[in-house]
Amino acid sequence: MHVIKHQKYALTEAQKQMYASEKLMNFRWIAKVAATYSPYILSAKDLADQKLFSELAEIGQFTELAYTNAVPVEFLFKNLNILMRSKFPLQGYDALDDSVLVSEFFGKVAHLHGYVVYRPRTKQLVVATSGTSTAIQAIQDLRTLWHRHKSHRGLVHSGFWQLYKGIRSFILEGIRKGFEEHEDIEELVITGHSMGAAVSYILLFDQILVSDDILPANLPIKLVAFGSPRPGDANLARYYQELIDTYRGKYGDAAFSEYLVKAYNDGVPALPPLFLGYRHFTQTPLYYDHMCLYHIPSTESEYTLFHVDAEKSLEYPRGGHNYYNGRDQERLLRRLGWLEKALTKDEMHWQESYLERVQKHSR
């Protein structure tokens, strides 16, 4: 068998500084001890086209922004023209431009954050849910006992279920408000990273795909899940796929699209483990490896890691949970933290105060 192993690369000084400044868990150690490599080797024939890569990377910008707890999303969207400038937190987040915030919410359980936004350029309504960002939320991640779903079709992770219940009413209110305020919406996008991705799956099989009074008939739905853990058992996974088949049967194959993206050195998709009965719900996921996106065959859908027979981009050579879509997510959160401090210090002159902090940290 032809085995392709990931090489070790000499880090540049900028990369050494980037990795030294990491504060968030990247789950590389989980990838080493709990994840397994598929025997299938991804290659050029499995490459996703650049259009799909760009589309998902754009949606990923909204996904990453859901992690901000300190600075209100309303402030960010009202000040996009400033915050997207060079050195400011949203530099390079061009997909956010012209977007209109519909609602922001914090859940009743563990203060889980999310928001609903309208994208005029693409005529999409986007629901973005944060992944784990606090110790209280991490406790819910560890609640791997089963909860029997009300459909009686399977079992769901009890911690994810509780987090979802805490935001369910807020999401539905936001979706309804979005359709009331924007009549030209052509697609609903549901997205999340990590635990937020698992919650996004639950939203679909618990409400969106079973209710007739939430969305206009025939509206396309798109799920974009980055680094998702497994949400439930095999029976619930089958139920989820049956709901998708029913929706497509009513409105056409293009009415529902789903993208579960795993990544090199991200151990989260290996959790909770298979031996506990957990399964992924998407049958044909994607794999992000060094600035390229690959289609994973359905036979390999439960594997977390893949060897790739291709040239590597060396921008983020170590991979990990916070390096999807060619971006360092922690860089965004670090800069948003500086913005929060600047606003606290001097709300009237926050721009100057923020740039002073950028200058201080660049020394």
Side-chain angles (χ1 to χ4, degrees):
M1 184 179 69
H2 184 205
V3 177
I4 306 295
K5 293 186 177 181
H6 279 277
Q7 302 175 15
K8 292 185 177 180
Y9 301 98
L11 299 179
T12 65
E13 287 304 314
Q15 288 170 336
K16 290 178 182 178
Q17 184 177 354
M18 175 182 67
Y19 290 125
S21 65
E22 285 185 348
K23 303 295 183 185
L24 302 177
M25 179 79 73
N26 268 286
F27 294 91
R28 298 185 186 104
W29 69 276
I30 290 290
K32 288 182 179 180
V33 303
T36 54
Y37 272 94
S38 167
Y40 182 87
I41 298 174
L42 297 171
S43 64
K45 69 178 183 297
D46 304 299
L47 265 175
D49 61 55
Q50 187 60 40
K51 182 179 178 182
L52 177 60
F53 178 88
S54 299
E55 178 188 0
L56 299 187
E58 280 195 1
I59 293 172
Q61 295 180 24
F62 294 89
T63 316
E64 292 163 26
L65 201 62
Y67 274 92
T68 177
N69 293 314
V71 182
V73 172
E74 181 179 7
F75 176 87
L76 299 178
F77 279 102
K78 282 184 176 179
N79 292 277
L80 283 176
N81 61 325
I82 298 171
L83 294 172
M84 291 174 64
R85 295 176 186 171
S86 177
K87 298 183 180 179
F88 281 86
L90 301 181
Q91 176 187 356
Y93 282 69
D94 300 335
L96 305 179
D97 195 23
D98 295 330
S99 297
V100 180
L101 181 67
V102 175
S103 67
E104 180 179 16
F105 51 84
F106 289 91
K108 300 173 185 177
V109 177
H111 214 55
L112 180 60
H113 179 249
Y115 66 95
V116 180
V117 68
Y118 169 64
R119 298 184 68 190
R121 282 186 292 173
T122 59
K123 298 182 180 179
Q124 292 171 319
L125 188 67
V126 180
V127 178
T129 305
S130 171
T132 305
S133 62
T134 67
I136 296 176
Q137 292 169 6
I139 291 173
Q140 295 294 328
D141 293 344
L142 296 174
R143 293 182 58 189
T144 56
L145 295 176
W146 294 113
H147 170 81
R148 184 170 297 280
H149 187 250
K150 63 185 180 183
S151 64
H152 301 290
R153 294 295 306 276
L155 305 174
V156 62
H157 183 290
S158 61
F160 299 157
W161 174 255
Q162 291 299 322
L163 288 164
Y164 160 73
K165 282 207 308 179
I167 63 172
R168 176 170 55 192
S169 62
F170 300 126
I171 290 179
L172 297 180
E173 288 170 11
I175 291 174
R176 291 188 174 105
K177 183 181 177 185
F179 283 105
E180 290 172 2
E181 295 179 350
H182 306 283
E183 297 180 352
D184 61 344
I185 294 171
E186 295 181 356
E187 183 176 55
L188 174 67
V189 177
I190 299 173
T191 185
H193 172 261
S194 194
M195 172 265 289
V199 168
S200 297
Y201 278 103
I202 298 174
L203 172 65
L204 282 165
F205 69 73
D206 185 66
Q207 290 291 322
I208 301 299
L209 290 172
V210 296
S211 300
D212 295 326
D213 61 346
I214 299 175
L215 306 182
N218 202 31
L219 184 82
I221 302 169
K222 179 174 291 172
L223 169 69
V224 182
F226 298 100
S228 178
R230 297 181 175 107
D233 71 354
N235 289 330
L236 198 59
R238 282 191 288 272
Y239 175 59
Y240 168 80
Q241 288 298 329
E242 288 174 14
L243 293 175
I244 292 174
D245 291 342
T246 299
Y247 196 81
R248 287 172 172 163
K250 290 171 64 176
Y251 303 122
D253 289 345
F256 188 93
S257 53
E258 58 172 337
Y259 303 99
L260 165 60
V261 186
K262 306 178 185 183
Y264 167 60
N265 247 356
D266 180 8
V268 170
L271 303 174
L274 286 168
F275 69 80
L276 291 180
Y278 282 89
R279 297 293 184 271
H280 282 295
F281 287 6
T282 297
Q283 295 177 334
T284 53
L286 296 160
Y287 191 70
Y288 175 74
D289 183 279
H290 295 86
M291 299 297 291
C292 289
L293 196 63
Y294 298 86
H295 292 284
I296 297 173
S298 59
T299 56
E300 314 300 306
S301 63
E302 289 295 346
Y303 284 99
T304 302
L305 301 175
F306 291 81
H307 294 294
V308 178
D309 188 4
E311 294 295 322
K312 308 292 184 183
S313 166
L314 301 184
E315 189 170 1
Y316 303 113
R318 291 181 178 174
H321 192 52
N322 298 304
Y323 293 89
Y324 281 81
N325 302 310
R327 288 188 296 273
D328 171 9
Q329 182 172 308
E330 193 161 347
R331 176 178 179 271
L332 167 67
L333 299 181
R334 187 163 52 246
R335 290 191 169 194
L336 287 172
W338 298 342
L339 176 60
E340 178 201 9
K341 292 178 180 178
L343 287 166
T344 302
K345 178 182 178 182
D346 190 347
E347 191 171 351
M348 293 295 295
H349 303 91
W350 62 268
Q351 298 178 49
E352 293 84 350
S353 179
Y354 169 81
L355 290 173
E356 287 174 3
R357 294 179 184 277
V358 173
Q359 183 65 28
K360 174 184 176 181
H361 288 279
S362 64
R363 293 170 187 166

